[in-house]
C-alpha cells in the first residue's frame, strides 16, 4: 500500500486495538486510500491480514488413524425403540423445556429403558453412542446400564474423548466383558487380563466368575501381588457375586494385606460364609459373652451380655475396627462387630434349640438390646438368612416407632425407639413376593410416611397387592386434604414401579373432585395433575415395552415425531464410526 505498511507487516494486535477503540479515537495503522474512509480501510487491512496469517501456517503432521471400532454381534434396536431412545437422550418434553406438569419426565424413564434394552440383548445405535456417553457422564446412576448397552464400541469411542474416560475406569456392572469367556481361548483371556484396561479387566473378571468361579479366582490370584491397592479392593469386591467356600483360602491370605480397606473387605466376605474359619473364630469369642440366665423371679430366661474389654490383635486381623465412630462406646462397637460376624445358626445351638423368633423375643439385660439386635440385623442381611430377617422384621402391623418389649432392658434404652431395626435392609433378604406383601401390609396399617425406603427395595414392577396398597394410600391422602407435594417422592416411585397394565384402572383418579373446606388450597388440582402424570407415564412405559418387543413399529409416538437428525439420521449400516 502506498504511503504505509503492507497488511502483512501490520501488527494484528494494532488492528484489533484500532477496531475496539474506533477509528475516531485511534488512527488506523494502515493508510486510507482514495475513495475510502478509515473504517473501510481498517476492515480491508484486517481481511488481507487474516488471509496472510492463514497462508503462513505450516501444515501439521497428520495424526495416525485410530484402530477400527470392534464388532458388536448383538442385534440392532427395532426402529421404534431407536426413535424412543433418541427422544429420551434429548429429554424431549422434560423439565425446563416448557412441558406441562402432567407430562412424563423422560429423564426418569431412561434408566428403565436401558435396563429393558439390555434384557433384550440389543446393541446401541452407533450414531447415538456420543449422546449415550454424555448422559452417563452426567448421571452416575446410568453408568452400569449405559455402559453395558454401549458395549465394546462405546469403550472404543470413550478412548477418543477425555470427557468419557469414566467409561474406562470401572466395569459395566453387568458382566459384559470385552471377550465373552465362552467364546475366547484361555490364552485370549489371559492376554486381556494382563494387558487390558482396568474397565476391561473388571468386566472380564465378572464374566469369568459368572461362568466358572474357580477360574475367575485363579485369574485374580495370579496377578494379585502386583496390583495396586485400589485395584485390589475393586477386584476383591467383585467376588461378592458367586461367593463360595472355595474362595476362603484366598480371602484368608487377604486378611494380611497391607491395605486396611482390603483387609476389611476380606473379613466381611469371610463373615458372609458361615462355615469359614473366620466365622468360627468370631463364634468362639462370642460363646461366653452372650448367654442365657434366669430372671430374678425365676419365670424365664433373659439374655445377658458381657461386652469385650479390649480389641486385641487377633480381633483386628479378623476385621474388627478398633476405633469407634464419634458418640459410640468402644465396648458396644466391638460387640456389634463380633456378633454380626458370628454364624446365626450358633445362637439356636447356644440358646437351647430356640428358633430365631423365640430368640428375638427374649428380654435383654442392662440395656444391650439395641446393640445386640442391630448386630443380628446386619448378620441376617450379610448371611442372607431369611428366617432371621423375618423374625427381626416382626409384624408389619407394629408401629415403626415401637420397639419390641425387652423387660428390664427396655427401661435402660436411651436411644430412639426401634433405632436398632432397619426394615429396608432386612426386607432385601426376603423373597420378592414376601417382600412386596410385607410392605403392602405396612402401608395399609401406617400409610406412606415411613414407607419410601421400603418401596425402594421391592421388585419392579410392583406386585398387585403392593401396587394397590400404594394407590389406595395416595387416594386416602388426597381425600384427607393432604398436601400432594408431601408425597411427590412416592408418586415418582409409582410412575417408575407400578405395573403399566394398571393405567386404565387409575384413570378414574384423574378427575377433579369438589374441593372440601378442610383441604389445602389448590391441593385438589395438584392431585389431579399428579394422577394424570402417573397414568400418562404408565401408558408411555407400556409403549416402550412394546417398542422393545418389536411390536410397535407403526405406533404413533405420544411425544411427537422424532427429528431424523436427533435420532441419528441414518441406519447403523451406513453410519460412520470415524
Amino acid at each position: 500500500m502506498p504511503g504505509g505498511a503492507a497488511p502483512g507487516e501490520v501488527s494484528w494486535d494494532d488492528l484489533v486495538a484500532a477496531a475496539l477503540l474506533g477509528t475516531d479515537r485511534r488512527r488506523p495503522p494502515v493508510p486510507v486510500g482514495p475513495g475510502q474512509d478509515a473504517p473501510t480501510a481498517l476492515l480491508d487491512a484486517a481481511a488481507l491480514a487474516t488471509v496472510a496469517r492463514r497462508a503462513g501456517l505450516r501444515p501439521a503432521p497428520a495424526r495416525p488413524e485410530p484402530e477400527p471400532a470392534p464388532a458388536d454381534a448383538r442385534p440392532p434396536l427395532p426402529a421404534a425403540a431407536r426413535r424412543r431412545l433418541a427422544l429420551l437422550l434429548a429429554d424431549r418434553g422434560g423439565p425446563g423445556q416448557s412441558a406441562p406438569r402432567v407430562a412424563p419426565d423422560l429423564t426418569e424413564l431412561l434408566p428403565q429403558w436401558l435396563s429393558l434394552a439390555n434384557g433384550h440383548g440389543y446393541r446401541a445405535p452407533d450414531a447415538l453412542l456420543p449422546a449415550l456417553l454424555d448422559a452417563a457422564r452426567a448421571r452416575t446412576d446410568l453408568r452400569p446400564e449405559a455402559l453395558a448397552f454401549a458395549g465394546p464400541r462405546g469403550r472404543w469411542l470413550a478412548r477418543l474423548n477425555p470427557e468419557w474416560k469414566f467409561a474406562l475406569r470401572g466395569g459395566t456392572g453387568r458382566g459384559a466383558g470385552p471377550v465373552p469367556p465362552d467364546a475366547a481361548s484361555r490364552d485370549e483371556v489371559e492376554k486381556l487380563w494382563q494387558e487390558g484396561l482396568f474397565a476391561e479387566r473388571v468386566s472380564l473378571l465378572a464374566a469369568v466368575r459368572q461362568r466358572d468361579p474357580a477360574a475367575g479366582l485363579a485369574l485374580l490370584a495370579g496377578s494379585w501381588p502386583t496390583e495396586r491397592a485400589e485395584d485390589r479392593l475393586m477386584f476383591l469386591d467383585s467376588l461378592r457375586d458367586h461367593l463360595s467356600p472355595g474362595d476362603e483360602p484366598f480371602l484368608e491370605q487377604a486378611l494380611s494385606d497391607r491395605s486396611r480397606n482390603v483387609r476389611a473387605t476380606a473379613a466381611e466376605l469371610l463373615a458372609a460364609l458361615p462355615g469359614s474359619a473366620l466365622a468360627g473364630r468370631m463364634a468362639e469369642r462370642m460363646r461366653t459373652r452372650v448367654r442365657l440366665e434366669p430372671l430374678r423371679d425365676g419365670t424365664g430366661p433373659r439374655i445377658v451380655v458381657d461386652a469385650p474389654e479390649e480389641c486385641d490383635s487377633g480381633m483386628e486381623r479378623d476385621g474388627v475396627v478398633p476405633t469407634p465412630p464419634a458418640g459410640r462406646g468402644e465396648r458396644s462397637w466391638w460387640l456389634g462387630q463380633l456378633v454380626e460376624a458370628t454364624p446365626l445358626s450358633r445362637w439356636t445351638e447356644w440358646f437351647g434349640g430356640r428358633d430365631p423368633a423365640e430368640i428375638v423375643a427374649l428380654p435383654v439385660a442392662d440395656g444391650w438390646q439395641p446393640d445386640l439386635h442391630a448386630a443380628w440385623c446386619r448378620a441376617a442381611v450379610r448371611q442372607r438368612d431369611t428366617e432371621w430377617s423375618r423374625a427381626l422384621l416382626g409384624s408389619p402391623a407394629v408401629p415403626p416407632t415401637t420397639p419390641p418389649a425387652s423387660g428390664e432392658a427396655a427401661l435402660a434404652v436411651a436411644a430412639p425407639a426401634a433405632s436398632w431395626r432397619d426394615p429396608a435392609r432386612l426386607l432385601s433378604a426376603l423373597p420378592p413376593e414376601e417382600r412386596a406383601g410385607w410392605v403392602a401390609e405396612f402401608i395399609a396399617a401406617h400409610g406412606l410416611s415411613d414407607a419410601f425406603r421400603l418401596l425402594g427395595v421391592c421388585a419392579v414392577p410392583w406386585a398387585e397387592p403392593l401396587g394397590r396398597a400404594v394407590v389406595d394410600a395416595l387416594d386416602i391422602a388426597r381425600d384427607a386434604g393432604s398436601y400432594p407435594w408431601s408425597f411427590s417422592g412416592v408418586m415418582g416411585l409409582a410412575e417408575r414401579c407400578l405395573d403399566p397394565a394398571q393405567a386404565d384402572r387409575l384413570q378414574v383418579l384423574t378427575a377433579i373432585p369438589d374441593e372440601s373446606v378442610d383441604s389445602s388450597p389448590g391441593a385438589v388440582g395438584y392431585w389431579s395433575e399428579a394422577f394424570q402424570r402417573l397414568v400418562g407415564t404408565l401408558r408411555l412405559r407400556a409403549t416402550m415395552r412394546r417398542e422393545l418387543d418389536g411390536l410397535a413399529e407403526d405406533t404413533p409416538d405420544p411425544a411427537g415425531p422424532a427429528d431424523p437428525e436427533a435420532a441419528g439420521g441414518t441406519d447403523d449400516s451406513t453410519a460412520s464410526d470415524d
Side-chain angles (χ1 to χ4, degrees):
M1 289 184 180
E9 300 173 357
V10 178
S11 167
W12 180 257
D13 291 339
D14 291 341
L15 292 173
V16 172
L20 291 175
L21 293 174
T23 55
D24 292 338
R25 299 178 59 189
R26 170 171 289 192
R27 180 182 178 83
V30 294
V32 178
Q36 280 187 319
D37 56 15
T40 301
L42 179 63
L43 292 175
D44 287 346
L48 290 173
T50 299
V51 173
R53 283 158 56 90
R54 291 177 177 174
L57 290 177
R58 293 182 177 181
R63 293 186 300 175
E65 292 186 358
E67 296 180 1
D72 191 337
R74 294 176 295 175
L77 284 170
R82 177 195 171 100
R83 291 194 295 270
R84 177 70 57 197
L85 175 60
L87 293 174
L88 293 174
L89 291 173
D91 190 20
R92 301 279 182 83
Q97 299 192 21
S98 301
R101 285 184 296 191
V102 297
D105 186 351
L106 300 187
T107 60
E108 293 302 321
L109 294 179
L110 182 55
Q112 190 168 119
W113 188 98
L114 290 170
S115 178
L116 290 172
N118 284 325
H120 282 75
Y122 292 127
R123 67 181 173 93
D126 294 342
L128 294 181
L129 282 174
L132 182 64
L133 291 172
D134 279 339
R137 180 172 68 93
R139 294 179 56 182
T140 57
D141 63 307
L142 288 178
R143 291 182 183 178
E145 296 289 354
L147 295 180
F149 185 52
R153 289 197 160 198
R155 291 190 291 274
W156 172 87
L157 191 61
R159 296 191 187 99
L160 306 179
N161 186 345
E163 292 187 348
W164 297 330
K165 61 184 179 182
F166 69 88
L168 308 176
R169 287 198 298 261
T172 65
R174 297 274 311 214
V179 177
D182 54 351
S185 68
R186 181 178 301 178
D187 291 341
E188 289 174 320
V189 171
E190 184 65 31
K191 180 178 179 181
L192 182 60
W193 178 252
Q194 297 296 335
E195 301 177 4
L197 297 171
F198 179 65
E200 294 172 330
R201 300 179 71 212
V202 172
S203 296
L204 179 65
L205 178 61
V208 175
R209 285 278 295 180
Q210 183 176 10
R211 173 173 161 267
D212 186 347
L217 184 65
L219 199 66
L220 177 58
S223 63
W224 182 259
T226 61
E227 304 288 354
R228 300 183 304 168
E230 56 267 31
D231 294 350
R232 294 199 305 277
L233 181 62
M234 181 73 75
F235 289 138
L236 195 64
D237 194 64
S238 69
L239 299 183
R240 293 182 189 275
D241 294 332
H242 313 290
L243 185 68
S244 71
D247 300 323
E248 183 181 354
F250 177 80
L251 294 174
E252 275 285 343
Q253 291 182 357
L255 289 176
S256 302
D257 194 89
R258 55 186 179 274
S259 168
R260 181 179 62 183
N261 291 332
V262 171
R263 295 195 301 270
T265 302
E268 182 182 347
L269 293 175
L270 284 169
L273 296 171
S276 67
L278 180 139
R281 294 193 296 270
M282 291 298 195
E284 285 302 313
R285 295 182 178 108
M286 287 306 305
R287 185 166 190 169
T288 58
R289 294 196 173 276
V290 179
R291 59 189 183 277
L292 288 183
E293 287 187 356
L295 290 174
R296 293 173 180 174
D297 58 6
T299 57
R302 64 174 181 173
I303 299 176
V304 176
V305 175
D306 179 18
E309 299 286 347
E310 63 175 350
C311 180
D312 56 39
S313 59
M315 291 168 60
E316 285 194 51
R317 184 184 182 278
D318 285 343
V320 176
V321 179
T323 305
R328 183 77 181 271
E330 287 184 334
R331 297 184 67 197
S332 65
W333 173 245
W334 299 331
L335 174 76
Q337 294 179 78
L338 294 179
V339 171
E340 68 182 270
T342 299
L344 289 166
S345 60
R346 296 295 185 93
W347 301 105
T348 297
E349 174 187 337
W350 295 337
F351 288 173
R354 291 176 172 84
D355 62 31
E358 293 172 321
I359 294 173
V360 169
L362 290 171
V364 185
D366 302 325
W368 284 105
Q369 184 196 35
D371 293 295
L372 183 60
H373 282 211
W376 278 340
C377 286
R378 295 192 296 271
V381 173
R382 178 183 292 180
Q383 299 175 33
R384 312 303 298 172
D385 192 299
T386 301
E387 190 175 2
W388 270 89
S389 297
R390 190 178 295 121
L392 290 161
L393 270 171
S395 169
V398 176
T401 56
T402 301
S406 59
E408 296 178 353
L411 303 176
V413 175
S419 60
W420 55 267
R421 189 171 67 162
D422 188 349
R425 296 192 65 196
L426 290 169
L427 282 168
S428 67
L430 298 182
E433 292 184 3
E434 184 178 355
R435 197 183 312 168
W438 195 96
V439 177
E441 292 184 35
F442 181 92
I443 292 172
H446 312 296
L448 293 168
S449 299
D450 298 304
F452 186 79
R453 287 190 66 232
L454 306 182
L455 289 169
V457 300
C458 292
V460 178
W462 288 337
E464 171 58 21
L466 177 57
R468 185 178 295 276
V470 171
V471 173
D472 289 347
L474 289 170
D475 196 18
I476 291 171
R478 179 185 64 169
D479 292 343
S482 302
Y483 287 103
W485 40 92
S486 301
F487 298 90
S488 59
V490 174
M491 189 67 78
L493 276 178
E495 291 176 10
R496 300 189 296 275
C497 302
L498 273 175
D499 189 340
Q502 301 298 317
D504 292 339
R505 185 175 69 85
L506 300 179
Q507 181 65 42
V508 66
L509 299 177
T510 62
I512 303 178
D514 296 333
E515 190 164 337
S516 66
V517 294
D518 298 330
S519 63
S520 305
V524 170
Y526 273 97
W527 274 111
S528 177
E529 290 177 352
F531 281 119
Q532 289 178 47
R533 174 167 162 163
L534 173 60
V535 171
T537 302
L538 292 178
R539 287 177 174 161
L540 179 55
R541 285 175 52 208
T543 300
M544 285 166 40
R545 286 178 177 272
R546 290 196 300 272
E547 291 169 348
L548 287 166
D549 289 338
L551 304 176
E553 294 293 340
D554 299 322
T555 302
D557 193 334
D563 180 3
E565 183 175 350
T570 59
D571 293 333
D572 284 349
S573 58
T574 59
S576 171
D577 288 311
D578 294 337

